[in-house]
Structure formats: structure tokens, C-alpha cells
């Protein structure tokens, strides 16, 4: 559960740059654990921030499967300076909101990061 403030210029109904790859701050106190030895799919923005995929959907591409996620970067329409990677952490990766705020975004394939 989270409180989501929609930023100015965010286009909820569109499919262009006003909707995707925008950092949104939400109020949430959570902790997510990504297991060691399991893939962690990541987006990197031009400022060096790393977003870890939390969910993917079939809204845009019904053929997208968990096994296809390492190649998702080839399907995304990434803005200039952005990158996609899949890493397999040697140790568990813990994402914890330290201040009650989390930074999330949505990509052009309707995945949540």
C-alpha cells in the first residue's frame, strides 16, 4: 500500500514521454528482498540511479514471460542515457525505504520499477 502523488506533466492516459521513465516519489514503508542467485532486472538513469523491477505485466506484450526478462532491454523504448541490465546478486539484495519515501517509475512495457 502506498500514497501516490501524480507529478505535474504525468500523462496517465498517454503512451509518450509524459508517462514513462519519470521518477515518482511515493510514501511507503517497505522492505523487499531479492534472493541471492536470482536475476534482478534493473534500469539505470543518466544520473546513476538504479531502479529494480518489482513487477511486469502483459498489458503491452502478452508474450512477455519471466524467462524473457533478461532481453527486455531490447523491447524497451529507453530515453537517451538510460540502460537496462540483469544482474544476479551474490548476496540477497534488500531494498528498504529509509525515510518512508520510495522512488518508482513505469517503463514503456508497463513494468513497475
Amino acid at each position: 500500500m502506498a500514497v501516490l502523488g501524480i507529478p505535474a506533466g504525468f500523462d496517465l492516459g498517454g503512451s509518450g514521454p509524459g508517462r514513462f521513465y519519470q521518477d515518482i516519489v511515493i510514501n511507503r514503508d517497505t522492505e523487499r528482498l531479492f534472493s541471492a542467485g536470482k536475476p534482478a532486472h534493473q534500469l539505470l538513469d543518466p544520473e546513476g540511479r538504479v531502479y529494480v523491477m518489482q513487477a511486469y505485466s502483459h498489458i503491452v506484450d502478452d508474450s512477455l514471460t519471466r524467462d524473457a526478462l533478461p532481453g527486455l532491454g531490447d523491447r524497451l523504448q529507453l530515453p537517451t542515457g538510460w540502460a537496462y541490465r540483469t544482474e544476479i546478486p551474490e548476496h540477497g539484495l534488500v531494498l528498504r525505504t529509509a525515510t518512508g519515501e520510495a522512488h518508482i517509475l513505469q517503463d514503456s512495457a508497463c513494468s513497475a520499477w
Side-chain angles (χ1 to χ4, degrees), residues 59-80:
I59 294 170
V60 172
D61 182 355
D62 195 40
S63 69
L64 186 60
T65 64
R66 183 183 297 201
D67 292 337
L69 291 178
L72 180 62
D74 296 334
R75 300 179 185 200
L76 297 176
Q77 299 166 2
L78 293 173
T80 302

Side-chain angles (χ1 to χ4, degrees), residues 44-47 78-83:
L44 293 79
D45 76 6
E47 287 79 41
L78 293 173
T80 302
W82 285 70

Side-chain angles (χ1 to χ4, degrees), residues 33-39 88-93:
L33 173 64
F34 294 84
S35 300
K38 304 278 185 177
I88 299 179
E90 190 174 311
H91 304 283
L93 173 63

